[in-house]
């Protein structure tokens, strides 16, 4: 059963578990369970996607319950009037605050995107990052005598594919558990010493204007237990 954070006759907001696909994909053809199917069966009606979360990312995701509402919500995303907030754990001591403005060239999958244009220009991408806490552990990792981590809040201003993961890699503070843009030694350290083997990235908050009632909405979710256990280390 999925955790439903909000539902009415127009839209539904749920918590997406880590490592679950949002919809069926050619990339993971062996996967038989995906979020849209589970949610459809749980609430007994079809749902329309209006944004995405990567498979390894957990957190808040919204679906429309009609094509008309999906169109209205898509317009809000296009106008950047919907705010998303993420919590992440990064390698190293990150800056206290930074605004990243770094265009990203779309990375195409050879299977799923074989019909897409191969010569697209890099797309503008902006992310604001705020450091919440630091953690230092006196355990060697790689060539370093100790392990350092940063707990951060991420506010993407655009919604490019893998934007947060690529932006954190760009500033040399990759997200823990990122097997594509991250640090293999740090990921191994997290598995062995933090007992954490997922991507340390969760969409914790989604703020938007209700497309029908025009009331401001804000939906939040909690971190999953294993992620929360890592975050608790920062306060200890």
């Amino acid at each position: 059963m999925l955790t439903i954070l909000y539902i009415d006759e127009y839209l539904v907001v749920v918590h997406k578990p880590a490592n679950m696909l949002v919809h069926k994909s050619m990339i993971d053809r062996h996967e038989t369970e995906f979020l849209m199917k589970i949610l459809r069966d749980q609430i007994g009606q079809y749902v329309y996607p209006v944004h995405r979360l990567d498979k390894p990312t957990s957190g808040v995701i919204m679906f429309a319950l009609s094509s008309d509402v999906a169109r209205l919500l898509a317009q809000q995303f296009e106008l950047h009037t919907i705010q998303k907030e993420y919590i992440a754990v990064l390698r190293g001591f990150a800056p206290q605050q930074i605004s990243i403005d770094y265009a990203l060239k779309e990375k195409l999958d050879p299977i799923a995107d074989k019909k897409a244009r191969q010569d697209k220009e890099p797309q503008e991408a902006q992310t604001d990052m705020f450091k919440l806490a630091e953690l230092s552990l006196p355990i060697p990792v790689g060539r370093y005598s100790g392990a350092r981590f940063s707990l951060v809040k991420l506010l993407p201003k655009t919604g490019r594919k893998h934007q947060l993961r690529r932006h954190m890699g760009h500033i040399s503070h990759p997200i823990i558990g990122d097997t594509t843009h991250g640090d293999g030694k740090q990921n191994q350290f997290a598995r062995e010493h933090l007992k954490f083997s997922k991507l340390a990235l969760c969409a914790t908050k989604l703020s938007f204007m209700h497309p029908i009632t025009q009331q401001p909405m804000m939906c939040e979710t909690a971190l999953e237990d294993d992620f929360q256990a890592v975050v608790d280390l920062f306060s200890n």
Side-chain angles (χ1 to χ4, degrees), residues 183-214:
D183 182 324
K185 289 185 172 62
Q186 293 283 352
N187 295 343
Q188 182 179 353
F189 181 94
R191 291 191 297 270
E192 294 178 356
H193 298 282
L194 306 182
K195 308 305 179 187
F196 185 76
S197 57
K198 298 177 183 175
L199 178 68
L201 179 65
C202 179
T204 54
K205 187 183 296 185
L206 185 69
S207 302
F208 59 99
M209 191 70 71
H210 195 288
I212 304 301
T213 67
Q214 297 302 305

Side-chain angles (χ1 to χ4, degrees), residues 39-56:
L39 180 57
R40 179 196 65 198
D41 293 345
Q42 185 169 328
I43 66 174
Q45 65 182 108
Y46 189 80
V47 296
Y48 297 77
V50 293
H51 66 123
R52 63 175 179 260
L53 286 177
D54 294 341
K55 179 181 177 180

